[in-house]
Amino acid sequence: MDTIQLKGGVSTDSLKVSVLRERLVKRRDEIVANLCRIDDQRRAVANHVEWMDEDTYSHRRELFRLLSRSWHEEIYQVDQALERLLAGRYGICLGCAGTIEIARLEAFPESEYCDPCHGVWERIARP
């Protein structure tokens, strides 16, 4: 399959499955590399605590924890997008089951929601 079949039978040649898959896989690889760097830095800090006070050490550990969590959340989103792509559900909004805008998918290939649903989700998620 070289094009994505969107809801209502609409397909697009500008949004090739192979291109999106490559972008998602590339992004996943970048995230994995970032997680490895964070782990390396975390180990380096843990091995050299003698040059830091306790507050600095605690703050550094918390920073690594938050960065790691953020990267794990993003890798989950990318993996979910790859699963939707393989299952033929890519480009379908999880909120309204409508079509996710082409521009949105091109900008954010891991998008789960169309623009209107994403706006609602953002308002709900950020009180």
Side-chain angles (χ1 to χ4, degrees), residues 16-34:
K16 300 284 184 188
V17 172
S18 60
V19 171
L20 287 170
R21 185 179 299 117
E22 285 175 23
R23 285 181 61 198
L24 288 164
V25 169
K26 181 180 177 185
R27 182 63 187 145
R28 189 181 198 291
D29 291 343
E30 291 169 354
I31 295 167
V32 169
N34 285 331

Side-chain angles (χ1 to χ4, degrees), residues 1 3-15 20 88-93 97-103 105:
M1 169 151 103
T3 60
I4 293 176
Q5 193 74 18
L6 300 173
K7 187 178 179 193
V10 177
S11 65
T12 177
D13 291 330
S14 67
L15 202 55
L20 287 170
R89 296 186 322 267
Y90 187 78
I92 299 171
C93 176
T99 302
I100 299 174
E101 297 81 6
I102 299 302
L105 290 173

